[in-house]
Amino acid sequence: MITQPNHVPERLALLAASAVDTFLTEELLKGEQVHGGIDLAKVVDLLPEDDARWSVEPIRTLVEDAMFEFREDRTRADAWLAPRLHATLRLTRREAADKRLWNHLALAVAPDYVAWRHLSEPTAARPERRIAAERFRGPADRQCFSRLWWAAELFRNGPDYEPVEVACGNQDLIHTVLRMELIDHRPTAQALVRLLKNGQVTTGREIFGLSVAINAAGATLIYDVLASDEPRDPARLRDWIAEAGSAPPVGRYELPKGPDEDPVPEESVAALTDYFAELFETAPVRDRRSGD
């Protein structure tokens, strides 16, 4: 397994897609050898030096702790790292939508974590171990770090990251649901988490079937009418981001606190949970047990 590059930058930067392929070598994708880091540092666009958010050290510490703590079960690292990455790397959604930031984080700062988390196990059909290139520079729902940040952003309930742990503890949920536009409706996200916690939806096929039903119903039903939500106060997010320089490191054994925003109204979560449970009863789920 590869280690971190010899040269790890002190600060995050922006790495354009046009510069990525030079460093996305076969040796790296096989988890055999990583680039040295010096040449990559020459092709990045620097971020403002007076912004404490771009410090690499807190992120490197997080990924190293994750690799040690979850060395026996790599998939469990997602639920632990997602809220802590979000609380450490305090971004606006506009900033988080810039793929160049995630390219740099994956290739320059923590390619060893990408390899540790996503190097495939050999199978009869595919005996060669390999990392999918999209884990370094892919879409938001597939790239190693952006998928975790966005999952935390979409599933947090105001400052509470506990729903993020639940969501990211189920690979099928985050793989399927992060592609749904409706997930940006906060009551929808919280209702899905509640169905998962209640054990009403568990398997990948059930989650996929329910997501199809939710999207289909959403074409004719405006969920805001059924489950209203209060608009977010952008000032609270700005304040939270401004406090990044003075915020202590996120805890390893307790969840951090997110932006001090109001949680989703309970009545809206309850209404959508009941509605989705009814949808699930008729959702097209392959191999559903008779009587379920």
Side-chain angles (χ1 to χ4, degrees):
M1 184 71 71
I2 64 172
T3 60
Q4 67 185 53
N6 293 329
H7 172 76
V8 176
E10 294 183 358
R11 300 180 64 76
L12 287 172
L14 304 176
L15 179 63
S18 59
V20 166
D21 287 345
T22 300
F23 305 96
L24 208 57
T25 63
E26 277 296 300
E27 290 78 13
L28 176 58
L29 294 177
K30 292 178 181 178
E32 297 173 348
Q33 183 177 351
V34 71
H35 58 83
I38 294 293
D39 290 337
L40 190 150
K42 298 175 182 177
V43 297
V44 303
D45 295 318
L46 300 179
L47 290 164
E49 292 189 4
D50 60 350
D51 195 328
R53 294 180 298 158
W54 311 134
S55 175
V56 158
E57 188 276 332
I59 299 173
R60 271 300 323 176
T61 303
L62 272 180
V63 299
E64 288 168 8
D65 287 351
M67 287 189 285
F68 177 79
E69 184 68 25
F70 301 100
R71 58 194 180 278
E72 302 298 332
D73 189 352
R74 294 175 296 169
T75 59
R76 290 180 55 223
D78 288 354
W80 184 88
L81 184 57
R84 291 167 175 84
L85 177 66
H86 187 274
T88 298
L89 191 53
R90 302 187 179 193
L91 304 173
T92 65
R93 290 190 174 190
R94 180 185 295 273
E95 290 169 332
D98 191 337
K99 293 182 179 180
R100 296 176 300 167
L101 180 69
W102 304 114
N103 292 343
H104 187 257
L105 177 50
L107 272 166
V109 177
D112 51 328
Y113 182 84
V114 181
W116 174 84
R117 175 62 185 85
H118 293 292
L119 185 64
S120 64
E121 294 296 333
T123 64
R126 184 175 295 178
E128 183 180 71
R129 303 183 75 194
R130 191 173 182 84
I131 310 161
E134 62 188 2
R135 298 301 186 180
F136 289 98
R137 54 149 168 75
D141 63 307
R142 300 295 291 170
Q143 203 269 357
C144 178
F145 294 108
S146 68
R147 65 191 280 271
L148 299 180
W149 192 95
W150 280 105
E153 172 66 10
L154 296 171
F155 282 105
R156 66 181 173 86
N157 191 8
D160 182 12
Y161 285 117
E162 191 268 341
V164 178
E165 279 194 316
V166 176
C168 291
N170 187 298
Q171 295 297 305
D172 294 304
L173 183 70
I174 56 176
H175 286 167
T176 301
V177 173
L178 283 184
R179 302 172 186 176
M180 296 167 51
E181 292 184 6
L182 286 171
I183 200 61
D184 199 25
H185 180 239
R186 295 200 306 161
T188 294
Q190 296 308 312
L192 285 168
V193 169
R194 188 161 297 183
L195 288 171
L196 198 64
K197 287 181 67 176
N198 292 345
Q200 293 171 268
V201 179
T202 55
T203 69
R205 287 174 178 172
E206 291 174 345
I207 290 169
F208 179 76
L210 177 60
S211 68
V212 170
I214 290 173
N215 272 333
T220 55
L221 175 71
I222 300 176
Y223 287 141
D224 275 329
V225 175
L226 181 63
S228 62
D229 190 16
E230 295 297 325
R232 295 183 178 184
D233 181 356
R236 297 189 184 185
L237 178 63
R238 288 195 297 267
D239 291 344
W240 185 69
I241 291 174
E243 294 167 357
S246 59
V250 297
R252 271 35 178 182
Y253 301 105
E254 66 283 335
L255 285 171
K257 294 291 186 183
D260 186 25
E261 297 173 341
D262 293 332
V264 181
E266 171 57 28
E267 59 272 19
S268 294
V269 179
L272 267 193
T273 301
D274 291 342
Y275 180 72
F276 290 165
E278 293 177 8
L279 276 182
F280 180 62
E281 292 300 318
T282 57
V285 179
R286 188 158 56 96
D287 294 338
R288 188 200 295 265
R289 295 191 306 269
S290 60
D292 281 358

XYZ file of all heavy atoms in Angstrom, residues 64-125:
513
model
N -5.243 10.141 8.941
C -4.336 9.181 9.572
C -5.016 8.481 10.747
O -4.856 7.268 10.937
C -3.065 9.899 10.025
C -2.171 10.308 8.856
C -1.061 11.259 9.269
O -0.884 11.479 10.493
O -0.372 11.791 8.378
N -5.786 9.231 11.521
C -6.528 8.622 12.624
C -7.560 7.631 12.098
O -7.768 6.565 12.687
C -7.213 9.696 13.461
C -6.227 10.479 14.320
O -5.053 10.080 14.385
O -6.639 11.500 14.910
N -8.233 7.994 10.998
C -9.241 7.095 10.418
C -8.604 5.799 9.938
O -9.155 4.701 10.153
C -9.964 7.798 9.268
N -7.456 5.901 9.279
C -6.797 4.693 8.770
C -6.349 3.778 9.911
O -6.371 2.556 9.769
C -5.604 5.073 7.885
C -6.002 5.633 6.535
S -4.606 5.852 5.384
C -3.813 7.315 6.083
N -5.974 4.356 11.026
C -5.579 3.525 12.165
C -6.800 2.933 12.863
O -6.843 1.731 13.149
C -4.781 4.369 13.164
C -4.404 3.599 14.408
C -3.339 2.715 14.398
C -5.138 3.752 15.580
C -2.999 1.988 15.541
C -4.820 3.035 16.720
C -3.742 2.148 16.702
N -7.793 3.756 13.123
C -8.949 3.320 13.900
C -9.770 2.262 13.170
O -10.316 1.343 13.796
C -9.829 4.528 14.229
C -11.025 4.224 15.118
C -10.633 3.833 16.531
O -9.528 4.244 16.975
O -11.420 3.129 17.191
N -9.870 2.368 11.854
C -10.754 1.482 11.095
C -9.963 0.553 10.170
O -10.462 0.153 9.121
C -11.767 2.319 10.304
C -12.613 3.186 11.187
C -12.327 4.533 11.340
C -13.665 2.643 11.900
C -13.088 5.335 12.178
C -14.438 3.429 12.740
C -14.146 4.781 12.888
N -8.771 0.203 10.586
C -7.910 -0.646 9.771
C -8.501 -2.035 9.544
O -8.141 -2.718 8.579
C -6.521 -0.758 10.400
C -6.509 -1.320 11.816
C -5.154 -1.077 12.478
N -5.104 -1.610 13.838
C -5.576 -0.987 14.904
N -6.170 0.201 14.772
N -5.471 -1.522 16.112
N -9.418 -2.471 10.422
C -10.038 -3.781 10.264
C -11.326 -3.728 9.442
O -11.838 -4.768 9.040
C -10.343 -4.394 11.642
C -9.124 -4.551 12.546
C -8.084 -5.495 11.969
O -8.481 -6.402 11.199
O -6.892 -5.321 12.266
N -11.863 -2.541 9.218
C -13.121 -2.406 8.473
C -13.163 -1.020 7.838
O -13.670 -0.063 8.413
C -14.323 -2.606 9.397
C -15.646 -2.685 8.641
O -15.644 -2.434 7.418
O -16.671 -2.990 9.273
N -12.631 -0.917 6.625
C -12.445 0.388 5.992
C -13.754 1.124 5.738
O -13.802 2.356 5.817
C -11.702 0.213 4.662
C -10.273 -0.276 4.808
C -9.654 -0.546 3.459
N -10.343 -1.619 2.757
C -10.147 -1.911 1.473
N -9.318 -1.182 0.745
N -10.799 -2.912 0.906
N -14.829 0.406 5.421
C -16.072 1.095 5.077
C -16.632 1.872 6.262
O -17.334 2.871 6.078
C -17.134 0.102 4.570
O -17.393 -0.876 5.571
C -16.660 -0.577 3.305
N -16.344 1.427 7.486
C -16.846 2.128 8.669
C -16.217 3.507 8.832
O -16.731 4.350 9.573
C -16.603 1.300 9.929
C -17.463 0.047 10.034
C -17.162 -0.719 11.318
N -17.318 0.143 12.487
C -16.469 0.163 13.521
N -15.392 -0.600 13.510
N -16.696 0.966 14.543
N -15.132 3.760 8.145
C -14.470 5.060 8.250
C -15.346 6.180 7.709
O -15.236 7.332 8.147
C -13.134 5.030 7.513
N -16.225 5.877 6.744
C -17.054 6.928 6.143
C -17.915 7.636 7.186
O -17.992 8.867 7.213
C -17.955 6.330 5.062
C -17.203 5.940 3.803
O -15.999 6.237 3.716
O -17.826 5.325 2.918
N -18.587 6.855 8.022
C -19.494 7.443 9.017
C -18.736 8.256 10.043
O -19.267 9.231 10.598
C -20.303 6.339 9.706
N -17.507 7.876 10.327
C -16.691 8.614 11.300
C -16.104 9.873 10.670
O -16.106 10.946 11.269
C -15.563 7.711 11.805
C -14.703 8.314 12.880
C -14.927 8.273 14.228
C -13.486 9.066 12.686
N -13.913 8.951 14.887
C -13.026 9.440 13.970
C -12.746 9.444 11.572
C -11.848 10.177 14.154
C -11.584 10.189 11.757
C -11.147 10.541 13.031
N -15.593 9.745 9.446
C -14.867 10.864 8.843
C -15.785 11.945 8.290
O -15.436 13.130 8.355
C -13.956 10.333 7.727
C -13.042 11.350 7.043
C -12.141 12.049 8.060
C -12.207 10.669 5.958
N -16.948 11.587 7.751
C -17.799 12.575 7.074
C -18.121 13.786 7.946
O -17.878 14.930 7.530
C -19.075 11.909 6.565
N -18.675 13.614 9.157
C -18.984 14.811 9.949
C -17.744 15.577 10.379
O -17.769 16.813 10.467
C -19.746 14.246 11.157
C -19.358 12.812 11.237
C -19.103 12.377 9.829
N -16.658 14.865 10.624
C -15.433 15.533 11.082
C -14.733 16.279 9.951
O -14.154 17.344 10.177
C -14.513 14.496 11.741
C -15.083 13.986 13.058
C -14.383 12.753 13.598
N -14.921 12.395 14.913
C -16.024 11.669 15.106
N -16.688 11.201 14.051
N -16.464 11.412 16.323
N -14.798 15.741 8.750
C -14.260 16.470 7.599
C -15.075 17.730 7.350
O -14.520 18.808 7.103
C -14.294 15.567 6.360
C -13.837 16.214 5.054
C -12.359 16.558 5.108
C -14.127 15.289 3.861
N -16.397 17.623 7.428
C -17.269 18.779 7.202
C -17.020 19.866 8.237
O -16.965 21.056 7.903
C -18.729 18.322 7.256
C -19.719 19.383 6.878
N -20.220 20.295 7.794
C -20.312 19.677 5.684
C -21.074 21.099 7.178
N -21.156 20.744 5.907
N -16.863 19.474 9.496
C -16.662 20.450 10.563
C -15.255 21.033 10.554
O -15.032 22.129 11.074
C -16.936 19.807 11.921
N -14.313 20.320 9.959
C -12.936 20.814 9.864
C -12.763 21.710 8.656
O -12.173 22.792 8.737
C -11.954 19.628 9.783
O -12.049 18.852 10.981
C -10.522 20.110 9.622
N -13.282 21.263 7.525
C -13.178 22.015 6.277
C -14.486 22.778 6.073
O -15.405 22.311 5.392
C -12.907 21.052 5.114
C -12.512 21.644 3.764
C -11.338 22.600 3.904
C -12.194 20.537 2.777
N -14.578 23.929 6.673
C -15.810 24.710 6.679
C -15.945 25.495 5.375
O -15.272 26.502 5.160
C -15.828 25.651 7.895
C -15.692 24.895 9.210
C -15.866 25.791 10.416
N -15.753 25.032 11.666
C -16.108 25.489 12.864
N -16.612 26.719 12.983
N -15.965 24.742 13.945
N -16.829 25.016 4.520
C -16.984 25.571 3.186
C -18.398 26.067 2.955
O -19.352 25.575 3.552
C -16.688 24.493 2.132
C -15.343 23.785 2.181
C -15.325 22.643 1.174
C -14.212 24.758 1.901
N -18.516 27.028 2.048
C -19.824 27.329 1.481
C -20.109 26.263 0.415
O -19.202 25.565 -0.055
C -19.853 28.707 0.822
O -18.966 28.707 -0.312
C -19.411 29.789 1.805
N -21.355 26.153 0.004
C -21.667 25.191 -1.050
C -21.006 25.578 -2.372
O -20.646 24.706 -3.169
C -23.184 25.065 -1.213
C -23.851 24.372 -0.033
C -25.291 24.050 -0.340
N -25.904 23.260 0.725
C -27.090 22.674 0.631
N -27.798 22.803 -0.476
N -27.579 21.968 1.633
N -20.868 26.852 -2.598
C -20.192 27.285 -3.829
C -18.747 26.801 -3.819
O -18.233 26.315 -4.835
C -20.243 28.813 -3.949
C -19.556 29.351 -5.207
C -19.535 30.874 -5.183
N -20.870 31.411 -5.263
C -21.526 31.656 -6.394
N -20.942 31.389 -7.561
N -22.724 32.174 -6.378
N -18.074 26.950 -2.690
C -16.695 26.481 -2.593
C -16.617 24.962 -2.736
O -15.717 24.426 -3.400
C -16.093 26.905 -1.256
C -15.848 28.404 -1.148
C -15.496 28.840 0.257
O -15.934 28.170 1.226
O -14.793 29.865 0.405
N -17.560 24.264 -2.116
C -17.546 22.802 -2.161
C -17.859 22.269 -3.556
O -17.535 21.119 -3.864
C -18.538 22.233 -1.160
N -18.489 23.080 -4.390
C -18.819 22.657 -5.750
C -17.620 22.755 -6.695
O -17.697 22.285 -7.835
C -19.972 23.501 -6.296
N -16.524 23.327 -6.233
C -15.326 23.476 -7.054
C -14.518 22.174 -7.002
O -13.859 21.881 -6.008
C -14.487 24.651 -6.553
C -13.378 25.032 -7.526
O -12.969 24.178 -8.346
O -12.915 26.187 -7.466
N -14.573 21.403 -8.054
C -13.893 20.096 -8.074
C -12.386 20.222 -7.937
O -11.710 19.261 -7.536
C -14.244 19.348 -9.362
C -15.701 18.926 -9.456
C -15.955 18.140 -10.739
C -17.406 17.700 -10.818
N -17.684 16.925 -12.071
N -11.846 21.373 -8.261
C -10.396 21.544 -8.183
C -9.895 21.389 -6.748
O -8.785 20.904 -6.524
C -9.994 22.913 -8.734
C -10.292 23.111 -10.219
C -9.945 24.532 -10.642
N -10.729 25.510 -9.894
C -10.469 26.815 -9.874
N -9.423 27.301 -10.557
N -11.237 27.647 -9.192
N -10.709 21.793 -5.790
C -10.324 21.649 -4.382
C -10.215 20.173 -4.005
O -9.256 19.746 -3.355
C -11.348 22.355 -3.494
C -11.083 22.287 -1.982
C -9.869 23.118 -1.620
C -12.309 22.764 -1.207
N -11.203 19.390 -4.421
C -11.207 17.955 -4.085
C -10.120 17.208 -4.856
O -9.536 16.245 -4.331
C -12.586 17.369 -4.372
C -13.668 18.098 -3.646
C -14.672 18.847 -4.197
C -13.858 18.181 -2.225
N -15.469 19.379 -3.221
C -14.994 18.993 -2.005
C -13.171 17.656 -1.126
C -15.465 19.285 -0.722
C -13.631 17.944 0.151
C -14.777 18.753 0.346
N -9.836 17.642 -6.099
C -8.715 17.053 -6.833
C -7.421 17.197 -6.046
O -6.625 16.259 -5.936
C -8.531 17.755 -8.194
C -9.662 17.483 -9.169
O -10.439 16.551 -8.999
N -9.744 18.309 -10.210
N -7.208 18.381 -5.503
C -5.965 18.651 -4.767
C -5.919 17.856 -3.466
O -4.880 17.277 -3.116
C -5.843 20.149 -4.482
C -4.512 20.525 -3.884
N -4.350 20.793 -2.538
C -3.291 20.650 -4.451
C -3.087 21.090 -2.310
N -2.423 21.017 -3.443
N -7.023 17.812 -2.771
C -7.056 17.075 -1.507
C -6.749 15.590 -1.741
O -5.977 14.979 -0.992
C -8.425 17.246 -0.856
C -8.692 16.495 0.457
C -7.590 16.727 1.465
C -10.046 16.912 1.022
N -7.332 15.021 -2.792
C -7.147 13.591 -3.039
C -5.765 13.261 -3.587
O -5.180 12.233 -3.219
C -8.217 13.086 -4.010
N -5.229 14.109 -4.458
C -3.972 13.772 -5.122
C -2.731 14.321 -4.420
O -1.693 13.664 -4.404
C -3.997 14.279 -6.568
C -4.598 13.312 -7.582
C -4.881 14.018 -8.899
C -3.683 12.126 -7.806
N -2.846 15.512 -3.843
C -1.665 16.127 -3.236
C -1.579 15.889 -1.738
O -0.491 15.725 -1.194
C -1.665 17.637 -3.513
N -2.725 15.880 -1.060
C -2.735 15.831 0.403
C -2.880 14.412 0.944
O -2.156 14.004 1.852
C -3.867 16.727 0.962
C -3.942 16.623 2.485
C -3.649 18.176 0.539
N -3.793 13.629 0.382
C -4.084 12.328 0.987
C -4.360 11.224 -0.033
O -5.348 10.508 0.080
C -5.260 12.458 1.944
N -3.481 11.044 -1.030
C -3.692 9.923 -1.955
C -3.579 8.572 -1.258
O -4.170 7.591 -1.694
C -2.589 10.114 -2.999
C -1.528 10.891 -2.295
C -2.275 11.811 -1.370
N -2.822 8.532 -0.169
C -2.699 7.280 0.585
C -4.034 6.894 1.224
O -4.366 5.711 1.310
C -1.605 7.376 1.648
C -1.745 8.609 2.541
O -2.225 9.661 2.057
O -1.360 8.541 3.724
N -4.818 7.891 1.655
C -6.135 7.574 2.203
C -7.071 7.076 1.098
O -7.827 6.118 1.317
C -6.767 8.790 2.887
C -8.116 8.448 3.490
C -8.209 7.871 4.747
C -9.297 8.640 2.765
C -9.435 7.507 5.289
C -10.530 8.281 3.295
C -10.585 7.715 4.551
O -11.811 7.340 5.077
N -7.034 7.698 -0.065
C -7.881 7.255 -1.176
C -7.570 5.800 -1.507
O -8.473 4.982 -1.701
C -7.684 8.150 -2.419
C -8.585 7.686 -3.559
C -7.965 9.610 -2.088
N -6.274 5.469 -1.555
C -5.882 4.095 -1.849
C -6.321 3.149 -0.735
O -6.838 2.057 -0.998
C -4.366 4.018 -2.033
N -6.124 3.552 0.502
C -6.510 2.715 1.648
C -8.006 2.442 1.646
O -8.440 1.314 1.874
C -6.108 3.416 2.934
C -6.566 2.734 4.185
C -5.954 1.702 4.838
C -7.748 3.035 4.952
N -6.673 1.347 5.957
C -7.780 2.142 6.048
C -8.778 3.976 4.804
C -8.803 2.173 6.999
C -9.792 3.997 5.745
C -9.807 3.104 6.832
N -8.797 3.456 1.347
C -10.253 3.320 1.422
C -10.849 2.647 0.190
O -11.830 1.889 0.311
C -10.886 4.712 1.611
C -12.407 4.736 1.593
C -13.011 3.925 2.706
N -14.467 3.874 2.583
C -15.140 2.994 1.836
N -14.471 2.065 1.143
N -16.455 3.029 1.789
N -10.274 2.865 -0.988
C -10.972 2.467 -2.206
C -10.201 1.490 -3.092
O -10.672 1.200 -4.203
C -11.354 3.707 -3.020
C -12.386 4.559 -2.357
N -13.694 4.149 -2.180
C -12.307 5.806 -1.799
C -14.373 5.100 -1.552
N -13.567 6.116 -1.313
N -9.071 0.977 -2.655
C -8.387 -0.051 -3.437
C -9.220 -1.318 -3.381
O -9.486 -1.856 -2.306
C -6.988 -0.309 -2.878
C -6.094 -1.270 -3.669
C -5.788 -0.711 -5.058
C -4.793 -1.547 -2.912
N -9.646 -1.795 -4.551
C -10.555 -2.932 -4.603
C -9.854 -4.220 -4.187
O -8.635 -4.366 -4.338
C -11.114 -3.086 -6.021
O -10.058 -3.400 -6.923
N -10.630 -5.139 -3.682
C -10.115 -6.461 -3.355
C -10.172 -7.332 -4.614
O -11.082 -7.201 -5.427
C -10.941 -7.103 -2.243
C -10.840 -6.374 -0.900
C -9.438 -6.395 -0.330
O -8.669 -7.343 -0.646
O -9.093 -5.465 0.430
N -9.199 -8.223 -4.798
C -9.216 -9.078 -5.990
C -10.396 -10.039 -5.992
O -10.822 -10.526 -4.941
C -7.883 -9.834 -5.898
C -7.499 -9.774 -4.455
C -8.039 -8.477 -3.932
N -10.938 -10.266 -7.183
C -12.027 -11.227 -7.357
C -11.676 -12.139 -8.529
O -10.707 -11.898 -9.263
C -13.357 -10.517 -7.645
O -13.252 -9.821 -8.897
C -13.717 -9.531 -6.537
N -12.483 -13.171 -8.712
C -12.236 -14.077 -9.827
C -12.377 -13.348 -11.158
O -11.620 -13.579 -12.103
C -13.207 -15.251 -9.753
N -13.344 -12.454 -11.232
C -13.570 -11.716 -12.475
C -12.546 -10.607 -12.680
O -12.221 -10.247 -13.811
C -14.979 -11.127 -12.482
